Amino acid sequence: RRQGGAQLHPYRWRWLTHHLHEAGRIAELRALLGRFEWMRGKLLATDLAELIGEYARFPADPGLAPIQAVSNAFWKSVP
């Protein structure tokens, strides 16, 4: 798949946040999770469940609360 002329590599989209978290690069990870461009790329390369799952590492983070509220509402609406 392509986004903005760049090839999307599935490994990158599936594991980048894990590696940032494990390396202790939390500020960089939080900034990434808040970028629309990253969210769009993650969704195009993987699926909605994987995108929503990215925010589980920060359940009480006020900076990510709006995104988490949308994802929680989505999951509650699924039968």
Side-chain angles (χ1 to χ4, degrees):
R1 298 178 187 177
R2 299 182 72 76
Q3 175 189 4
Q7 182 69 30
L8 298 178
H9 192 277
Y11 182 89
R12 174 184 171 206
W13 293 105
R14 290 189 191 279
W15 293 101
L16 176 62
T17 57
H18 169 78
H19 290 302
L20 290 173
H21 188 264
E22 291 301 309
R25 295 167 61 182
I26 304 305
E28 188 176 346
L29 174 55
R30 283 187 72 248
L32 183 70
L33 292 175
R35 290 183 48 222
F36 176 76
E37 299 83 12
W38 178 84
M39 290 180 224
R40 182 176 183 272
K42 175 76 175 186
L43 184 56
L44 289 171
T46 61
D47 58 34
L48 185 58
E50 284 209 26
L51 174 61
I52 290 172
E54 294 291 357
Y55 299 91
R57 289 187 181 102
F58 302 97
D61 189 315
L64 299 174
I67 298 165
Q68 292 166 332
V70 170
S71 69
N72 289 338
F74 173 78
W75 284 118
K76 289 178 184 177
S77 71
V78 175

